[in-house]
Amino acid sequence: MLPVSVYSPAMQTNARPALLQRIGRLLRAKEFLVFFAIGLGVLDFGAPLATGWLFRHRSLATLLHTNNSVAGDAVAGRGWGVIAVAVAYLLVSAFFTAGYLRSLLGRLHWGPRDARQFSRLFALLALVAAVSWGIGALQGAMGDRLGATGLLLLVFAVQTIVYVPLLYAEYAIVASNVGVVAALVRSVRTFAANAFVSLLVLFCLFEVSLILWQLLPGDAGSAADLGPTVLIHVLVWGSISFLADVVLLSVYIDSIERGTLPPN
């Protein structure tokens, strides 16, 4: 649980400068955690490749250009190997995500505070995986009906609407020690109180992911040939994700201290 200072009108007047200062302080104090974020990025990047290969044994070059998901492969593959990798990914991701967010809030941690926090993060990440699968399925179904521009606009609109209740949910579970449903409610309230910053972060993440996707090499070449490009992709995405986490976590804490959200 976060220590919360007493709310006053002066805090509201200085809210935006205080938020920028908080972001700057957190970024300077926790800049070493970018490597933690990159490690989580490797996990997020590698898991769909692993389940995709177990599902249909396609090459790395083909998998890099396939819009598959861990949840989708686990359901469609119906094999114990795919399901085991998908569940293992969610378990490992929940464990280290908890440690990463706790480290942003205080001293270095590698895992969750307790089993309850771990189970809540696992449930949330499973929900996110299912949502990502749904968005990917929608993108695949609408890809032939819409042009490239129309598809991008549709995907961004759907992602914005869907990820509103998810954007701050991880931070709520770790920082405020609440359940998944309460975390989703707090995420919506935080988004509503900080819509401009939240949309700006979502837009930047969407643009970076689009650019990185376009920079991937063609669907040919060996794993060794693709290695440097994949490495750059993971390093850039991990670094951008770290910056986004610093901003969004600062916004969440700032919302509590301004009285927009209760501490728990």
Side-chain angles (χ1 to χ4, degrees):
M1 185 187 306
L2 291 174
V4 181
S5 57
V6 178
Y7 175 71
S8 67
M11 289 173 59
Q12 185 176 19
T13 303
N14 299 320
R16 296 305 94 184
L19 175 59
L20 293 177
Q21 292 170 7
R22 182 189 295 278
I23 293 172
R25 289 195 302 267
L26 184 59
L27 187 60
R28 289 192 298 270
K30 301 294 183 177
E31 57 186 9
F32 67 95
L33 290 178
V34 67
F35 299 106
F36 208 148
I38 290 172
L40 290 172
V42 171
L43 188 63
D44 292 337
F45 187 83
L49 298 179
T51 56
W53 184 84
L54 288 171
F55 180 26
R56 289 182 177 171
H57 294 283
R58 291 167 290 186
S59 66
L60 175 61
T62 302
L63 287 170
L64 289 174
H65 291 271
T66 302
N67 191 24
N68 66 305
S69 67
V70 171
D73 290 337
V75 173
R78 299 178 182 177
W80 287 110
V82 182
I83 295 174
V85 171
V87 172
Y89 158 69
L90 291 174
L91 289 171
V92 173
S93 183
F95 183 88
F96 285 111
T97 297
Y100 167 65
L101 294 179
R102 292 181 69 204
S103 299
L104 281 173
L105 290 168
R107 62 183 181 85
L108 181 64
H109 297 278
W110 293 109
R113 189 177 75 174
D114 50 34
R116 177 178 295 180
Q117 187 178 84
F118 173 71
S119 63
R120 288 168 173 173
L121 269 178
F122 176 81
L124 179 64
L125 291 181
L127 175 62
V128 172
V131 167
S132 299
W133 175 27
I135 292 176
L138 176 64
Q139 186 175 352
M142 301 299 294
D144 296 332
R145 302 181 185 181
L146 301 173
T149 302
L151 182 61
L152 287 176
L153 290 175
L154 174 65
V155 171
F156 179 69
V158 171
Q159 285 185 337
T160 301
I161 294 171
V162 170
Y163 280 107
V164 163
L166 298 172
L167 191 61
Y168 295 93
E170 289 182 357
Y171 313 124
I173 289 175
V174 175
S176 299
N177 195 31
V178 296
V180 175
V181 175
L184 295 176
V185 173
R186 294 171 73 87
S187 181
V188 172
R189 293 180 61 181
T190 307
F191 190 99
N194 304 274
F196 176 77
V197 176
S198 303
L199 286 173
L200 181 62
V201 172
L202 275 177
F203 179 76
C204 290
L205 289 174
F206 181 79
E207 283 294 310
V208 171
S209 64
L210 179 61
I211 292 172
L212 290 175
W213 178 268
Q214 292 175 338
L215 290 178
L216 286 175
D219 54 355
S222 64
D225 295 333
L226 298 174
T229 303
V230 170
L231 178 61
I232 293 172
H233 187 287
V234 171
L235 290 175
V236 172
W237 181 251
S239 301
I240 295 300
S241 298
F242 168 70
L243 291 174
D245 285 325
V246 168
V247 172
L248 294 176
L249 184 57
S250 298
V251 169
Y252 181 79
I253 297 172
D254 183 70
S255 297
I256 294 177
E257 293 195 345
R258 288 189 292 116
T260 305
L261 294 173
N264 52 33

